[in-house]
Amino acid sequence: MSDLRHRAASLSPGFVPTAVLSILPVAAVLGIAMLAQLWLAPVLANAGADFFIKMGVDILVAMVLAISLTMVNGFTGQFSIGHAAFMAVGAYTAACIVYYGSYRFYGNANVQGGLVSSMVYGVRDVPWFAWADALFLGALLAGGLVAAGCGYLVGLPSLRLKGDYLAIVTLGFGEIVRVLVQSQTTEVLAEGASVTPDHLRMIPAWGSTLAVDDYITAEAIASAPVWVWPKYVGGALGFGGLPFYTSPFWVVLVAGLTLLVAFRIKSSSYGRAFLSIREDEIASEAMGVNVTAYKVRAFVVAAFFAGIAGGLFAHTVGVQLNPAELGFQKSFDIIIMVVLGGLGSISGAAIAAVIVTILPELLRTPDLLAASWPYGLGGVVLGAGLIGVLRSGGRSTTLGRAVLFAGLLVAGLGLLALWAKGSEVDLGRYRMVFFALALIAMMILRPQGLLGVGEIWDRSFWADLVARRSKGGVS
Amino acid sequence: MSERRAILEVVGVNKSFGGLKAVQDFNLTIREGDLQGLIGPNGAGKTTCFNLLTGVYTPDTGEVRVSGHRVEGARPWRIARLGVARTFQNIRLFGALSVLDNARLGCHLRVGHSFAGMVLRSVLHRSEERAIRDRAMDLLGVLGLADRAHEEAKSLPYGDQRKLEIARALATEPRVLLLDEPAAGMNPQEKVELRGLIHRIRERFKVAILLIEHDMGVVMNLCEHITVLNFGQTIAAGSPGVVQNDPRVIEAYLGTE
Ligand SMILES: Nc1ncnc2c1ncn2[C@@H]1O[C@H](COP(=O)(O)OP(=O)(O)OP(=O)(O)O)[C@@H](O)[C@H]1O
Ligand SMILES: [Mg+2]
């Protein structure tokens, strides 16, 4: 018996405290999700701020994607540029299950869920949880599992390929998924003049030859074998008419659990094994880490969460699930989040997900930005003052510089928005320019990203902010 | 008295890179409690031998056995699990991780909880994480690095980085420890300390040690048995006294007129 096992036996914390500590965070996430759905969302909706609910949902879905990609690109140091493909796989899997499942069970594709999936905030006369919610939850999990299976397949080449070569494989996988979905039939629509969007993906009667008027009834869907469904997902035109189940409850729940799992991984022996691979593969393997197996495992776990995020995305209000939207562009958005946040930082990726999701919205509706430039200037002044005070106290000026920089950013964007408003330029169309600029600035000012591999909850992070300056140099 | 058990046995191993015969007909037996040296001029093939023993390279011919298991062609992580740990000549720490995390990583191959158990935070996970921290801190204490546990590994001075590599290797609970030039880059004072340290490590962790070293003071004082390589060939093997006076060794090191 190894010394480790020997010591562990005498250090066991006991079952009850362990169970409490292990379950408590999960219960907390569940509680927060309930609160978001039953209190926060109605309050916002009553205040006419539905926009913020929608924003919040988008942000949290982006967060799940960014955190999951962090496990591959950040923890194990592989470079995947096809993460949106796992999202697409999860999205279409979940969509098929929910859409056709709804037809099977309810005869239509309307929302049949309880309060947890409700998009009508403040209602009280529905049950908490209905069977349709279970259908949605099951679909999310199935999407996650199918995506994880794909993650395994894509992870396999990483046994042999490194760096650029692996990146190309993931890119290829992303394109394959997109093209496969796009090439599914849309002919049902093309023929009929009077076809409504709801007809779009209906299955031709099983065994019958396809006729224009021969759209399928709920009974026919119920009798068609399951494997026929994926063929009728709208092809290049998109999979519309999906019921909107993605409520604040579900996104908060999924994002919270993703955060929790990522944190648990990173702070464990397995997490250190992941990080060691990124730091030095040869040393890692010499210390007994089965590098190839761990690389694949990172892909599988990341793909699982990306798949669930896809399921959430597919059932969001106002989203028409479309293969073109889940292509390389989307993968790139996720990479930007991970790189900005600092490759390997969970909290960094989460913060970057907020920024990257909000910024285009702000640019599109410049009023808010335009109004904020005085605050930016205030930040500049405050930051400059802070730097002076910190420096004279012989302390690290990091905090002051951060405030100064943020102020400059807000002021600059605000003035830009002001100008754009005056000359009626749509800044939203230039969002990729802004991201590119942000990346360039990041590479120059802070190449390790916002947080490097660290986390905002690390003690050393806060200690660094207020530390005494080690070297009495100028600067 | 029964003979001490062999942990590592190398029989007739050869390795070429293209036309270069890096190691030829290499033989070595390391038994429990051994402290052996492997020396030779630059490019003699010493590091290549380590790479052959740890699975980084596969021998062209010959046998490598760890505790009786044949390991030619086995992946390095498997060999590590059988109880062979090493340090690297060109330091390979996990630079962005803390000193403590470097040492803790070494414990990973001995954990018994599963990935799922980790995500669910099982009892075994928690107790093993505590034990890992405990062990790692103990090891850092032995190597004199406990004060720097929370610093980034890459911020350590050179000599401390070498020590951290040893701590990390010891964390794997090895039966044999391969040290590739542990004294390189150390000052005379540190070298003297290192000698004491290696003795203490052998006693405390009951681990056999094979040492590559250029510093003759270190090797001759420490090792009970020395193997000398030159151009991939073993030109001498035996006690320090014998090896030191071997004409072929003197020739290899000093060259002929
Ligand atoms: N992967 C490789 N491919 C080609 N040649 C190699 C490879 N590894 C080592 N060699 C060659 O094998 C020979 C032995 O190298 P090795 O690193 O084992 O020497 P060494 O005894 O450790 O030397 P030093 O004292 O300088 O560390 C050298 O000539 C080296 O160039
Ligand atoms: Mg060498």
Side-chain angles (χ1 to χ4, degrees):
Chain A
M1 187 156 126
S2 74
D3 179 42
L4 184 74
R5 303 299 284 282
H6 193 74
R7 285 191 200 216
S10 65
L11 289 171
S12 172
F15 182 74
V16 175
T18 303
V20 172
L21 280 175
S22 304
I23 294 169
L24 211 59
V26 180
V29 168
L30 201 63
I32 296 170
M34 288 284 193
L35 218 60
Q37 177 75 11
L38 298 179
W39 174 74
L40 187 61
V43 166
L44 287 175
N46 279 338
D50 290 54
F51 173 75
F52 288 103
I53 302 177
K54 169 94 179 85
M55 226 33 249
V57 169
D58 289 352
I59 286 173
L60 290 171
V61 171
M63 227 181 241
V64 175
L65 291 165
I67 293 172
S68 60
L69 186 64
T70 293
M71 296 177 196
V72 175
N73 290 21
F75 291 1
T76 63
Q78 306 178 87
F79 209 76
S80 163
I81 50 177
H83 205 52
F86 299 120
M87 184 187 178
V89 168
Y92 275 91
T93 306
C96 275
I97 293 174
V98 168
Y99 186 81
Y100 292 113
S102 292
Y103 266 103
R104 267 205 162 170
F105 298 131
Y106 309 111
N108 58 53
N110 301 332
V111 174
Q112 312 273 347
L115 218 47
V116 292
S117 304
S118 177
M119 229 64 64
V120 189
Y121 304 109
V123 286
R124 283 279 175 275
D125 55 347
V126 269
W128 278 90
F129 194 84
W131 279 113
D133 297 315
L135 178 68
F136 181 58
L137 180 60
L140 288 182
L141 288 175
L145 289 175
V146 175
C150 293
Y152 180 75
L153 292 180
V154 177
L156 280 182
S158 72
L159 306 184
R160 300 187 156 274
L161 300 175
K162 282 184 188 142
D164 313 348
Y165 300 102
L166 179 66
I168 289 165
V169 169
T170 58
L171 178 68
F173 172 71
E175 288 306 285
I176 289 170
V177 170
R178 186 177 62 77
V179 169
L180 270 184
V181 175
Q182 252 168 3
S183 62
Q184 296 306 305
T185 179
T186 53
E187 63 184 309
V188 186
L189 180 75
E191 294 259 347
S194 62
V195 186
T196 70
D198 260 353
H199 288 128
L200 194 59
R201 298 149 315 275
M202 292 214 178
I203 305 173
W206 183 240
S208 77
T209 48
L210 183 66
V212 180
D213 303 323
D214 200 10
Y215 295 116
I216 282 308
T217 56
E219 294 78 52
I221 288 178
S223 64
V226 170
W227 58 83
V228 179
W229 297 351
K231 201 163 168 6
Y232 297 89
V233 291
L237 291 170
F239 196 162
L242 293 170
F244 301 136
Y245 278 112
T246 304
S247 64
F249 172 81
W250 291 115
V251 285
V252 173
L253 184 71
V254 171
L257 291 180
T258 308
L259 203 64
L260 182 67
V261 171
F263 169 69
R264 283 183 168 182
I265 291 175
K266 195 180 179 189
S267 63
S268 76
S269 195
Y270 284 93
R272 288 188 290 275
F274 281 145
L275 287 166
S276 76
I277 293 171
R278 144 204 168 129
E279 291 296 307
D280 191 319
E281 241 175 73
I282 290 175
S284 179
E285 190 146 28
M287 295 303 127
V289 175
N290 184 351
V291 168
T292 49
Y294 277 71
K295 282 181 170 179
V296 175
R297 185 174 284 175
F299 259 105
V300 171
V301 177
F304 176 74
F305 285 108
I308 291 184
L312 288 173
F313 173 77
H315 298 87
T316 304
V317 179
V319 166
Q320 155 102 332
L321 184 54
N322 191 316
E325 250 190 84
L326 301 178
F328 176 67
Q329 184 66 59
K330 187 80 184 177
S331 295
F332 203 75
D333 282 353
I334 309 169
I335 290 175
I336 290 175
M337 296 174 201
V338 174
V339 173
L340 279 184
L343 281 166
S345 172
I346 300 164
S347 44
I351 292 168
V354 177
I355 297 172
V356 171
T357 315
I358 282 186
L359 194 60
E361 290 303 323
L362 288 180
L363 292 173
R364 210 165 286 148
T365 49
D367 286 346
L368 193 62
L369 259 189
S372 66
W373 70 267
Y375 300 99
L377 281 189
V380 173
V381 174
L382 183 67
L386 257 178
I387 291 177
V389 172
L390 291 170
R391 177 166 295 166
S392 63
R395 297 187 169 277
S396 154
T397 55
T398 312
L399 186 63
R401 274 182 291 149
V403 173
L404 178 74
F405 188 70
L408 271 178
L409 203 68
V410 172
L413 282 176
L415 290 173
L416 195 67
L418 206 61
W419 166 79
K421 238 174 80 172
S423 48
E424 292 184 351
V425 175
D426 178 14
L427 286 178
R429 285 168 53 197
Y430 300 101
R431 78 193 175 99
M432 283 322 283
V433 175
F434 287 97
F435 289 147
L437 285 176
L439 280 178
I440 292 169
M442 187 62 97
M443 288 309 132
I444 294 168
L445 296 170
R446 209 175 154 77
Q448 74 271 41
L450 279 177
L451 286 165
V453 255
E455 302 291 351
I456 44 173
W457 50 75
D458 290 346
R459 218 176 308 144
S460 58
F461 174 77
W462 297 103
D464 280 352
L465 274 189
V466 293
R468 298 208 152 255
R469 279 191 291 167
S470 47
K471 289 168 207 88
V474 266
S475 95
Chain B
M1 202 183 98
S2 67
E3 193 160 56
R4 288 171 297 135
R5 261 187 301 166
I7 303 169
L8 194 60
E9 293 161 283
V10 186
V11 185
V13 161
N14 287 282
K15 179 74 186 175
S16 316
F17 298 109
L20 176 78
K21 291 179 177 162
V23 173
Q24 297 175 49
D25 193 26
F26 183 64
N27 296 284
L28 183 78
T29 303
I30 295 181
R31 299 179 183 281
E32 283 174 345
D34 273 359
L35 208 174
Q36 295 198 16
L38 182 60
I39 63 171
N42 287 112
K46 307 179 294 293
T47 300
T48 305
C49 283
F50 270 24
N51 287 336
L52 288 165
L53 299 183
T54 54
V56 177
Y57 300 147
T58 305
D60 298 337
T61 57
E63 283 181 21
V64 181
R65 278 196 291 271
V66 178
S67 304
H69 302 275
R70 293 279 295 266
V71 297
E72 311 95 64
R75 298 298 305 160
W77 61 269
R78 280 204 181 281
I79 297 177
R81 281 172 195 218
L82 288 172
V84 181
R86 72 175 291 183
T87 65
F88 294 89
Q89 179 176 359
N90 48 342
I91 298 172
R92 286 181 175 274
L93 287 171
F94 309 124
L97 305 191
S98 71
V99 170
L100 177 62
D101 282 349
N102 270 270
R104 285 203 279 190
L105 186 273
C107 301
H108 182 64
L109 77 176
R110 302 290 169 211
V111 301
H113 65 274
S114 65
F115 192 80
M118 176 274 291
V119 171
L120 299 174
R121 289 295 194 253
S122 66
V123 175
L124 187 59
H125 161 80
R126 284 182 197 272
S127 52
E128 287 193 334
E129 280 292 341
R130 289 179 182 192
I132 288 172
R133 196 188 167 86
D134 240 40
R135 260 185 65 76
M137 280 313 285
D138 281 0
L139 284 165
L140 293 181
V142 172
L143 276 295
L145 295 169
D147 297 342
R148 321 197 74 147
H150 298 287
E151 288 175 32
E152 258 188 357
K154 63 171 173 252
S155 72
L156 290 182
Y158 204 67
D160 283 350
Q161 293 199 6
R162 292 223 174 267
K163 288 184 190 163
L164 181 53
E165 278 223 338
I166 297 177
R168 184 180 68 179
L170 284 171
T172 65
E173 303 185 31
R175 306 188 62 204
V176 58
L177 181 60
L178 312 180
L179 302 176
D180 199 341
E181 304 201 14
M186 288 187 174
N187 61 36
Q189 168 69 24
E190 284 178 315
K191 283 182 184 173
V192 174
E193 284 170 17
L194 182 73
R195 267 156 45 185
L197 188 64
I198 289 176
H199 267 302
R200 264 182 286 136
I201 285 171
R202 176 168 70 151
E203 298 312 317
R204 170 148 182 194
F205 298 99
K206 305 273 178 283
V207 61
I209 295 174
L210 175 64
L211 183 79
I212 295 178
E213 191 45 74
H214 278 297
D215 189 289
M216 286 305 145
V218 174
V219 183
M220 294 300 166
N221 279 301
L222 266 178
C223 301
E224 293 133 7
H225 183 100
I226 295 172
T227 306
V228 189
L229 291 180
N230 194 23
F231 295 117
Q233 282 169 323
T234 307
I235 55 172
S239 66
V242 172
V243 165
Q244 246 167 337
N245 296 317
D246 189 302
R248 296 226 291 163
V249 176
I250 295 168
E251 189 189 309
Y253 271 92
L254 299 177
T256 41
E257 265 91 303

